[in-house]
Amino acid sequence: MSDIDYISTGVDAIYGKNCFNDRAMREWLPKSVYKDVKAIQAGTQELTPATADVVASAMKDWATQKGATHYTHWFLPLTGLTAEKHDSFISPVGDGSIIMEFSGKELLQGEPDASSFPSGGLRATFEARGYTAWDVSSPAFLKAEGDGLTLCIPTAFVSYTGEALDKKTPLLRSSEAVGGQALRVLRALGNESATRVTATAGPEQEYFLVDKKFFDQRPDLQLTGRTVFGRMPAKGQEMDDHYFGAIKERVSVFMRELNNELWKLGISAKTQHNEVAPHQFELAPIYDPVSVALDSNQLVMETIRKVAARHDMAALLHEKPFAGVNGSGKHNNWSLGTDDGENLLEPGDDPERNARFLLFLSAVIKAVDTFAPILRATAANAGNDHRLGANEAPPAVISIFLGDQLSEIMEALAAGKKAPGRQGETLEIGASCLPKLPKDLTDRNRTSPFAFTGNKFEFRMPASSQSVAAPNVVLNTTIADVLSGFADRLEKASDTAAEIKAIVAETYQKHGRIVFNGNGYAQDWLDEAAKRGLPNLPNTVAALPAYLEKDSIDLFKRHNVLSLAEMESRVTIYMEQYAMQINVEAGVMQEMADSLIYPAATAYASELASMIAQVKAAGIGVAPTSAEEILKALVEQMNLMKAASEALSSAVEKAQSQGGDALRAAAFRDTVIPCMEELRQHGDAIESMIPRNQWPMPTYEDLLFRM
Ligand code: ADP
Ligand code: MG
């Protein structure tokens, strides 16, 4: 709160103080055990019960001296949220006193009630129970709730027969896969210094803030996270600067506290204003290994909500809270880094690094082109369907932005022509250097779903409310698959440089079609993309089945990331979630139409009617024709709204009765959504006819321009 005082307590003293990070481990663990943990994290050593005991005891000591009384295995079920089961450290000793205890066994494994989390049928097929297992790769942290502190241990959640029941497990498996294959490639290139390659992610989080008092009067925002009615007033855009000044003050106090809370957790955050939509903001963290980035992003979302509430605001993480206003995404920046500090997507200063860069760049290009449908599927949810392709966010077609300079180089290499090198010389892979590429290309093209931004790729499709697990699972796995093929070739090659050259050229010849540097929002591009044979999966129901194509199933199996049963269970759950979301939205719409909009319209209509009657009765003259016209139009819209509401009812009922998750989801998409659109049209038309002070809920103007 406002106890933030960076003068008496420097940021460095606050940063990470609630995180059992490397610094804390070094302080609290015996030197030899600290080394063991590092080796276990690096995958070169197995975790033993003895090590777990020492770590558990140190974690408990660290946590309790800060005031923690409880611990929890913290995990990421397929709901997309987080889950916890709290236990206290307290252990009675028999004489009426207690000691604080935490054993290695308790650190390693927990047993939440698996039946309360979705398993997509896995439970029926396998085992009813599930357990959580300590994820050594992600640091434990202290979560504050009121005055209490709980030690949270990041875990993976699996069934007793080993099936993944969460978002974390496949991400850890896919990190293994891509790290292993990348290392094979490095070895084949003669690199003996790196011992580990890690996929890294820096997810940028977008969100809206609205005043809590307005939020509380909007059942749609409360129950679905988005407005199902509401129109953007033309004059809304021109609110005076005075307002913005006041908002800025309030938001910057919020942001200061948000940063402070995240810093305590060891999450590096720099919050910033986002100019695109009013009341929309963005938070960018410094990147981490993907599994840490996943956990951090969950905490970021949770903390944004929590801190907003403290400031009487509501944070909206939905992809499209307001129709006609830019939505929110989660840009997933991704790269591969070695343990000796090399970024494999960074063009270097010497010929060797450049060759390596071109090879890894080619791997990403090939992976994204080959597996575009599943990459698209990772960004699919009901909210993002409003956003992708809506002239504000990337289209639903996947393409890669490389920038003109790099594209020209790749094209030349593919054609066996000379490409320009660093100093006027021609580029010879492995013998000369790439010209200097502009570092941040991001701002030049915001319309691309997948952009190379100098030393990493930025995947811009993912949904703001979604876990970043799936996008990174798919990036890791598909790129692992391509790297594995490259490694096979390079390991056999007698002339490595020639083989790299061949791989880069062949890859671009075959997969260069995925590269597009133009305006991704233009209709021309969709036509062109279709000509190039690039898939266009316009919505969730169309995109999710990509996971179940034979090629996808084989891919995930090949790299031990997800089995067929695990994948099927996920698709089942995502289809269910989609149908459920639309179902709730439809219900809220009807409720608002019937109990808020209709009564307000009725009241205003009778006011008009009696005014017209009085004017006529008083013989003042001809009843005002404009009032009669308004009344007529209003009643017409009321009737149309009633009819639309009834049509929606029966569409929902029919959709609900469909057997099978995919069919049900498709019915919601094809019949329920059009009815919702129709209903909204009439509700919004009525809003435009009723005086502001008689409208029964806060308007877009309130939500977007007032605080
Ligand atoms: P800016 O856009 O402010 O110049 P950057 O382009 O450096 O910042 O980074 C944008 C986002 O990309 C940040 O969240 C950052 O952590 C992330 N990022 C930077 N480098 C990497 C990397 N090697 N791997 C993954 N994410 C990265
Ligand atoms: Mg960005």
Side-chain angles (χ1 to χ4, degrees):
M1 320 226 165
S2 45
D3 62 340
I4 305 169
D5 173 6
Y6 298 128
I7 299 168
S8 48
T9 318
V11 177
D12 57 331
I14 285 159
Y15 194 84
K17 82 175 193 159
N18 285 348
C19 179
F20 197 64
N21 54 18
D22 205 63
R23 191 172 67 181
M25 285 203 292
R26 227 172 317 164
E27 186 183 336
W28 289 84
L29 292 175
K31 213 174 206 154
S32 66
V33 177
Y34 169 77
K35 271 197 190 145
D36 288 342
V37 172
K38 295 309 282 180
I40 294 159
Q41 285 177 333
T44 55
Q45 197 174 308
E46 290 280 319
L47 179 60
T48 65
T51 307
D53 271 331
V54 180
V55 176
S57 174
M59 264 188 195
K60 183 244 334 176
D61 290 343
W62 170 80
T64 52
Q65 55 88 38
K66 287 179 181 285
T69 52
H70 286 67
Y71 71 91
T72 179
H73 275 204
W74 184 82
F75 58 103
L76 311 168
L78 294 172
T79 53
L81 305 171
T82 60
E84 307 168 2
K85 180 183 172 246
H86 293 210
D87 281 298
S88 86
F89 293 122
I90 287 174
S91 173
V93 285
D95 63 353
S97 58
I98 55 109
I99 51 168
M100 300 294 257
E101 251 184 358
F102 186 45
S103 68
K105 215 173 120 224
E106 287 164 314
L107 167 64
L108 289 178
Q109 193 163 319
E111 199 165 345
D113 175 16
S115 64
S116 51
F117 301 104
S119 80
L122 270 185
R123 221 159 8 243
T125 332
F126 298 96
E127 245 284 4
R129 291 177 308 158
Y131 68 93
T132 48
W134 180 31
D135 169 13
V136 193
S137 73
S138 189
F141 57 91
L142 290 172
K143 195 153 134 183
E145 240 129 41
D147 291 337
L149 280 179
T150 299
L151 171 67
C152 295
I153 297 146
T155 56
F157 180 38
V158 290
S159 76
Y160 261 89
T161 37
E163 283 76 29
L165 296 172
D166 69 347
K167 303 265 184 187
K168 179 63 91 52
T169 305
L171 185 62
L172 291 171
R173 293 174 184 159
S174 71
S175 302
E176 283 288 314
V178 73
Q181 297 303 335
L183 199 59
R184 273 184 69 205
V185 169
L186 290 183
R187 289 284 181 274
L189 298 182
N191 176 320
E192 295 294 336
S193 60
T195 61
R196 192 171 168 77
V197 178
T198 309
T200 52
E204 299 166 51
Q205 179 71 47
E206 289 184 325
Y207 60 98
F208 281 83
L209 289 174
V210 298
D211 194 302
K212 181 78 167 35
K213 71 173 181 286
F214 297 136
F215 175 84
D216 285 344
Q217 296 170 58
R218 296 277 320 205
D220 47 0
L221 283 180
Q222 289 178 297
L223 293 169
T224 72
R226 77 176 181 99
T227 53
V228 294
F229 286 106
R231 35 189 290 128
M232 188 67 181
K235 71 172 165 64
Q237 310 278 11
E238 310 148 9
M239 299 292 286
D240 61 64
D241 288 344
H242 192 72
Y243 257 131
F244 286 114
I247 292 167
K248 270 196 191 131
E249 173 75 28
R250 192 167 168 191
V251 171
S252 58
V253 174
F254 155 83
M255 282 187 175
R256 206 166 132 83
E257 186 175 327
L258 175 60
N259 280 337
N260 195 61
E261 290 299 317
L262 293 172
W263 289 346
K264 279 197 250 172
L265 290 167
I267 297 170
S268 53
K270 38 178 197 160
T271 50
Q272 62 203 51
H273 285 260
N274 193 341
E275 308 299 328
V276 181
H279 284 204
Q280 190 188 33
F281 307 96
E282 184 187 88
L283 186 152
I286 292 172
Y287 66 93
D288 273 311
V290 285
S291 68
V292 179
L294 167 63
D295 290 352
S296 298
N297 180 252
Q298 292 296 147
L299 290 172
V300 162
M301 291 195 283
E302 210 174 291
T303 310
I304 289 175
R305 285 203 178 97
K306 211 156 78 179
V307 176
R310 283 187 209 151
H311 291 263
D312 295 319
M313 297 188 283
L316 309 177
L317 292 162
H318 191 281
E319 291 72 24
K320 191 77 179 175
F322 305 101
V325 177
N326 262 24
S328 299
K330 180 138 54 193
H331 296 175
N332 189 79
N333 296 276
W334 184 96
S335 189
L336 286 172
T338 68
D339 57 344
D340 55 355
E342 299 271 339
N343 176 351
L344 299 177
L345 288 173
E346 175 104 46
D349 284 327
D350 57 70
E352 252 170 61
R353 280 206 178 79
N354 281 315
R356 187 183 73 194
F357 163 70
L358 291 170
L359 195 60
F360 280 92
L361 180 75
S362 300
V364 176
I365 293 171
K366 178 171 177 180
V368 172
D369 185 40
T370 311
F371 298 105
I374 48 175
L375 199 55
R376 159 68 184 96
T378 67
N381 74 1
N384 229 11
D385 282 357
H386 296 285
R387 185 180 156 257
L388 297 180
N391 268 4
E392 58 172 80
V397 179
I398 299 244
S399 63
I400 297 179
F401 173 83
L402 285 186
D404 292 338
Q405 203 177 354
L406 191 51
S407 302
E408 274 162 29
I409 291 167
M410 294 303 282
E411 272 160 29
L413 294 174
K417 288 194 202 131
K418 291 186 179 11
R422 174 70 51 98
Q423 258 130 14
E425 89 266 46
T426 52
L427 180 65
E428 191 60 50
I429 295 183
S432 55
C433 281
L434 281 165
K436 263 247 168 294
L437 298 167
K439 190 96 192 161
D440 197 351
L441 306 152
T442 317
D443 285 337
R444 291 216 211 135
N445 190 321
R446 303 192 142 267
T447 67
S448 175
F450 202 89
F452 180 66
T453 54
N455 59 3
K456 62 188 181 291
F457 276 96
E458 183 175 10
F459 183 29
R460 302 203 182 111
M461 264 186 180
S464 54
S465 69
Q466 261 180 334
S467 148
V468 291
N472 289 299
V473 165
V474 169
L475 286 172
N476 290 347
T477 312
T478 56
I479 291 164
D481 197 58
V482 174
L483 288 174
S484 143
F486 286 4
D488 290 344
R489 286 180 64 170
L490 292 164
E491 283 163 1
K492 280 193 226 110
S494 50
D495 181 344
T496 314
E499 193 64 15
I500 298 174
K501 200 170 148 182
I503 291 173
V504 170
E506 282 166 34
T507 303
Y508 206 79
Q509 284 157 16
K510 242 177 141 170
H511 302 285
R513 65 170 189 165
I514 193 83
V515 173
F516 174 67
N517 296 321
N519 176 9
Y521 296 171
Q523 179 59 43
D524 287 2
W525 163 234
L526 293 187
D527 301 339
E528 164 69 17
K531 265 189 230 144
R532 293 189 192 184
L534 302 179
N536 184 359
L537 303 168
N539 52 60
T540 302
V541 182
L544 288 177
Y547 281 131
L548 300 177
E549 293 288 327
K550 186 174 180 307
D551 287 351
S552 319
I553 294 296
D554 290 348
L555 166 82
F556 289 113
K557 217 168 115 190
R558 201 153 54 236
H559 298 283
N560 296 317
V561 173
L562 286 165
S563 67
L564 172 61
E566 287 171 322
M567 194 45 114
E568 280 175 338
S569 75
R570 267 152 223 264
V571 173
T572 299
I573 289 169
Y574 301 154
M575 288 287 190
E576 262 172 19
Q577 283 171 346
Y578 174 87
M580 216 148 49
Q581 172 78 24
I582 308 290
N583 186 40
V584 173
E585 288 180 2
V588 170
M589 271 197 105
Q590 268 182 298
E591 180 67 27
M592 288 172 76
D594 296 347
S595 68
L596 288 171
I597 302 177
Y598 200 81
T602 308
Y604 184 54
S606 52
E607 224 179 82
L608 279 175
S610 75
M611 186 266 280
I612 293 166
Q614 277 169 17
V615 168
K616 279 186 177 164
I620 294 172
V622 194
T625 47
S626 67
E628 275 181 350
E629 269 162 25
I630 293 173
L631 179 61
K632 194 168 155 250
L634 180 59
V635 170
E636 193 179 308
Q637 287 300 328
M638 287 167 68
N639 289 334
L640 287 169
M641 188 173 77
K642 260 272 175 295
S645 174
E646 274 154 27
L648 177 57
S649 249
S650 56
V652 168
E653 210 170 295
K654 223 166 133 204
Q656 288 289 32
S657 70
Q658 294 290 319
D661 304 295
L663 285 178
R664 205 172 312 126
F668 271 97
R669 175 194 61 186
D670 298 333
T671 60
V672 175
I673 288 180
C675 288
M676 287 167 67
E677 281 163 1
E678 172 79 17
L679 180 55
R680 178 173 192 144
Q681 218 182 312
H682 302 303
D684 289 356
I686 293 174
E687 184 184 349
S688 72
M689 295 178 200
I690 292 194
R692 261 302 298 275
N693 63 354
Q694 294 184 34
W695 188 242
M697 63 188 115
T699 62
Y700 267 30
E701 202 174 308
D702 296 324
L703 293 164
L704 286 162
F705 298 101
R706 288 185 219 282
M707 281 257 194

